[in-house]
């Protein structure tokens, strides 16, 4: 459910007409709904009822906008972070360090020092070498790092290859079969306290079966470790639950079904559970608002050239992702078109042969479900500005990231041998 609706023939975000935002801020622009984010956080919390006091650590990488983080912090969410920058953003948004889980496959020594100084809740270790580096750093500061291993359960998540993370060949985690030896090894390393285990098998999962299989394997590991005398206190079950992008496809399982499955699998577990939802919280809380620049005839279908491009929203190019495209003032007249951006890449294509609202030059449109892995992945490719982001709350709205022109982030300094006046 989201708060983007047609009223009196035009698309609103909560109480604000999108055309008003386009007129004031220009296009392209991301627009987020506070009510939608808060609703998803609440639905997830209630779906995880009966599981003790779980930590819901929002995956910051999905949408790290400071206003988004502050909104979720106020809703009581923690953070799952994968870099020093994300730790800083989460802390700046008011997320307490003891609700921050530090994931990430290549944590640098500097990032470890930052996370230790902040006092994060848990480091999810990705390798023995990482454990040794963290042990040395923690010991040198007289600190103890709370750690868990991210285990790779070798299950196929049935999602796009680029967002599958839990098969044996993937770069993430340690093989679950090697985990008992890994925990035995770190028991002898100073400066580490083995408190947990973590798993995350992929993103945009549309089937609970692989998640269940992964969690069952984690449960088996927990009992193996217990029989070795290691009683863990924390089980981090990751994120990954999919959201509906295409209304013509079956909707992925919702948070309630997910919660039921987790309750069933973890019935006998003693550990505190951690969840790391990203897309589920922010995915359909955002749209990318854009304007038609020009219409150009095509060999088969016309090209609708819009002012958003792959630098603003790379998901179609990167993951073959499908975003619903709607007119801001739909007429009911439909046609078939190819929707493309102005960037000089054939991959800068949002939709091919799409049945959609007919449009003319200057019309406004939105790409739906663009709250996650969208602005977060934007770039200035083709020297295009970074897209502004707008947060709506009821009948109020404000710009929460301004449009950033390339000229403002490119150092003007020339190399000293050039002597450009
Ligand atoms: C990306 C990521 C998540 C969030 O995934 P979603 O599919 O957005 O829920 C959670 N945990 C880890 C370790 C991640 O890398």
């Amino acid at each position: 459910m989201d708060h983007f609706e047609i009223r009196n023939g035009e698309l609103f975000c909560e109480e604000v007409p999108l055309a008003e935002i386009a007129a004031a801020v220009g296009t392209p622009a991301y627009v987020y709904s506070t009510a939608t984010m808060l609703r998803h956080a609440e639905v997830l919390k209630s779906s995880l009822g009966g599981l003790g006091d779980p930590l819901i650590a929002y995956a910051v990488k999905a949408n790290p906008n400071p206003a988004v983080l502050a909104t979720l912090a106020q809703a009581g969410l923690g953070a799952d972070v994968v870099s020093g920058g994300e730790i800083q953003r989460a802390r700046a948004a008011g997320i307490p360090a003891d609700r921050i889980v530090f994931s990430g496959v290549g944590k640098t020594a500097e990032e470890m020092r930052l996370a230790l100084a902040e006092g994060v809740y848990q480091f999810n270790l990705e390798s023995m070498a990482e454990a040794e580096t963290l042990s040395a750093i923690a010991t040198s500061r007289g600190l103890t790092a709370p750690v868990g291993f991210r285990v790779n359960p070798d299950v196929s998540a049935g999602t796009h290859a680029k967002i599958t993370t839990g098969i044996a060949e993937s770069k993430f985690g340690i093989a679950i079969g090697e985990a008992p030896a890994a925990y035995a090894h770190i028991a002898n390393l100073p400066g580490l306290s083995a408190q947990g285990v973590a798993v995350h098998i992929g993103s945009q999962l549309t089937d609970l079966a692989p998640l269940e299989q992964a969690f069952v394997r984690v449960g088996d590991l927990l009992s193996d470790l217990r029989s070795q005398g290691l009683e863990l206190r924390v089980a981090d079950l990751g994120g990954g639950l999919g959201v509906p992008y295409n209304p013509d496809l079956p909707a992925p399982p919702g948070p309630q079904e997910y919660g039921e499955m987790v309750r069933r699998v973890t019935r006998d577990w003693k550990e505190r559970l951690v969840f790391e939802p990203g897309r589920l919280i922010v995915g359909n809380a955002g749209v990318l608002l854009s304007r038609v620049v020009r219409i150009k005839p095509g060999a088969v279908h016309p090209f609708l050239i819009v002012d958003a491009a792959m630098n603003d929203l790379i998901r179609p190019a990167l993951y073959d992702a499908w975003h619903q495209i709607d007119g801001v003032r739909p007429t009911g007249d439909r046609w078939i078109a190819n929707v493309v951006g102005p960037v000089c890449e054939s991959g800068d294509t949002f939709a091919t042969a799409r049945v959609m609202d007919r449009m003319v030059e200057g019309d406004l449109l939105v790409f739906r479900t663009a709250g996650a892995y969208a602005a977060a992945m934007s770039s200035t490719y083709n020297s295009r500005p970074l897209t502004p982001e707008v947060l709506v709350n009821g009948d109020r709205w404000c710009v929460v990231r301004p449009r950033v022109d390339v000229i403002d982030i490119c150092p003007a300094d020339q190399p000293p041998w050039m002597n450009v006046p």
Side-chain angles (χ1 to χ4, degrees), residues 59 61 80 103 150 200 203-204 239-240 276-279 373:
K61 73 178 191 285
D80 168 56
S103 305
R150 173 170 178 179
H200 173 73
S203 197
Q204 186 54 17
E276 301 173 343
R279 192 187 313 266
Y373 307 106

Side-chain angles (χ1 to χ4, degrees), residues 181-213:
Y183 281 98
H185 182 75
I186 61 167
N188 301 316
L189 291 180
L192 300 185
S193 159
Q195 69 168 25
V197 65
V199 71
H200 173 73
I201 61 168
S203 197
Q204 186 54 17
L205 309 187
T206 52
D207 181 7
L208 291 179
L211 283 166
E212 175 158 2
Q213 205 181 351

